[in-house]
Structures are given as C-alpha cells and as structure tokens.
Amino acid sequence: MKLTLFDLDHTLLSGDSDVLWVDFLMDRGVVDRAAFAARNADVEARYKAGTVNAQEFADFYVGTLGGRAPAQWEPLRQEFLATQIVPRIPPAAIALVNQHLDAGDLVVLTTATNRFITELTALYLDIEHLIATDCELADGSFTGRTQGTLNMREGKVTRLHEWLRARGHALDQFDSTAYSDSINDLPLLSVANHPVAVDPDPRLAEQARERGWPVVTLDR
C-alpha cells in the first residue's frame, strides 16, 4: 500500500495559510492591524527559522477564531479560500496531488495550520484525509485555544501514528512518501520511506543535500 503525505504551507500553497488568514482579517477590519501586524510577521519569521515555540505559534493563530461560532466565520472562510488560497495553489502542485490520487495512494494533507482554516483547501484539492491542529469549541463557539496534540514538528508524527492506528493500520505497512518545504517537518520526512523536499527553506535544503533526498520545485 502507498501512503502519500503532503504538507500544505509553502509546499502545495505559495504562502502560509495562517499568515494569510491574519492578513485577510486585518484587511477586512476584523482584527486590529496595529495589534496583529508586527506579531504576525514575527511569528512567521520564527516559524520559518524553526525557532518558534509550537504552542505559542498555534495559540496566536487559533486565537483569531475565539468568541465566534463556526457558522459566523463561514462567509469569511469561504471568501478567504476563494481570494487568498486558490490563486496561490500552483498548477504543478495540483498535478502532483492528482498524480498520487490517480495512482490509488492513500493521500493525506498534514498541516500545522488549524483544521477550520484548512479543511476547505483539502476539499478543493480533492484530498479526503486531513490531519491538522484542532480548535477547541465550547458552547458552540471557538474558545481561541487548541485541542489535543498540535500537528507540528514531532506532533505530526504522533498524530499520523494515531490516525493510522484508528484506521487499523501502522506506518510500516505502507510505502510512504512525504513532501514538505520546512525544517519544522524534518521529523515527518525522516519517518517516510521517500522524503521529498519541496522548494525547501535553507535548513531543510542542507538536510536534503546531506541525506541525498530529492528536491523538487512546485512554486512557479
């Protein structure tokens, strides 16, 4: 059996969903630019460097949802997909996903970005299976906090094993391929049979050279 794992941000998407979401909310006047712009840039920079604390990263972005129900966010979520996400998905990324789907692989989108923001992207890409950071709900509204294991760094491996186990499988039953751009996904890439660096950041590019991993470009 073949398992294919795709990271989302800067891998299948030319940009970062979390960062784009905050920019989108600032443009729409939903959050205050003076309060969010500098911190958004700071968290993004430290994420790219692999130095940001995972819980801090998740809390900042999931926190933007706090106080509203999913239905209240839905019109903005749909607009965000159409105006900010779809135009940033390169044709080469769509072609690669379709290649694996057409081959009958079990294809999973695995992302540190929260499920509410990314599940429409997965649907757009025809990827049925999504592993993402989960948002806490209370009384039908987002609390602004995460729930469970963050799907980031080593957490991506933990969540993958949990997801497979719930389906009655184990990772070693599969011939697995993983695609990512980020040093943050080194743990995930390291457990795959066929790790692939996609438009990698400098630290992942160095790891790919040292380990002899293939490097591909989708962002054109």
Side-chain angles (χ1 to χ4, degrees):
M1 296 186 291
K2 291 190 175 182
L3 171 68
T4 299
L5 306 163
F6 285 107
D7 175 52
L8 175 58
D9 300 319
H10 296 290
T11 300
L12 296 179
L13 178 70
S14 298
D16 183 287
S17 299
D18 277 321
V19 175
L20 291 169
W21 174 249
V22 172
D23 287 341
F24 173 75
L25 294 184
M26 289 189 296
D27 288 344
R28 296 300 182 277
V30 178
V31 299
D32 180 52
R33 186 173 299 275
F36 277 85
R39 191 170 178 204
N40 191 30
D42 172 64
V43 171
E44 179 187 21
R46 288 187 289 129
Y47 175 81
K48 288 180 177 178
T51 59
V52 72
N53 176 273
Q55 192 65 58
E56 177 194 1
F57 172 87
D59 286 346
F60 175 62
Y61 290 111
V62 171
T64 63
L65 300 172
R68 297 191 189 191
Q72 293 174 292
W73 279 115
E74 190 60 26
L76 282 170
R77 184 173 76 145
Q78 293 286 348
E79 182 184 355
F80 176 68
L81 175 75
T83 63
Q84 306 303 314
I85 298 298
V86 171
R88 290 181 168 89
I89 300 177
I94 295 174
L96 181 61
V97 170
N98 288 339
Q99 174 186 323
H100 285 283
L101 290 172
D102 292 344
D105 296 7
L106 179 60
V107 176
V108 179
L109 184 65
T110 176
T111 176
T113 303
N114 70 75
R115 178 176 300 276
F116 185 73
I117 296 302
T118 56
E119 60 189 354
L120 293 183
T121 309
L123 288 171
Y124 177 81
L125 291 167
D126 290 326
I127 298 177
E128 179 182 357
H129 306 293
L130 171 66
I131 305 175
T133 293
D134 290 314
C135 305
E136 183 184 70
L137 287 165
D139 299 323
S141 294
F142 290 112
T143 65
R145 296 186 294 269
T146 61
Q147 179 173 294
T149 301
L150 302 179
N151 197 49
M152 183 175 172
R153 298 177 182 153
E154 293 81 2
K156 278 197 176 184
V157 179
T158 299
R159 292 285 303 277
L160 174 63
H161 284 304
E162 291 173 349
W163 184 83
L164 288 169
R165 188 162 53 247
R167 296 173 62 87
H169 296 305
L171 184 59
D172 60 10
Q173 294 177 286
F174 292 88
D175 182 24
S176 57
T177 301
Y179 294 92
S180 181
D181 72 293
S182 175
I183 191 64
N184 290 286
D185 281 338
L186 187 61
L188 181 70
L189 291 166
S190 297
V191 300
N193 300 119
H194 309 288
V196 181
V198 180
D199 300 296
D201 63 36
R203 291 177 65 193
L204 183 60
E206 181 180 359
Q207 289 291 322
R209 285 193 297 271
E210 291 178 358
R211 301 179 188 219
W213 293 348
V215 176
V216 301
T217 294
L218 299 178
D219 188 7
R220 286 183 176 172

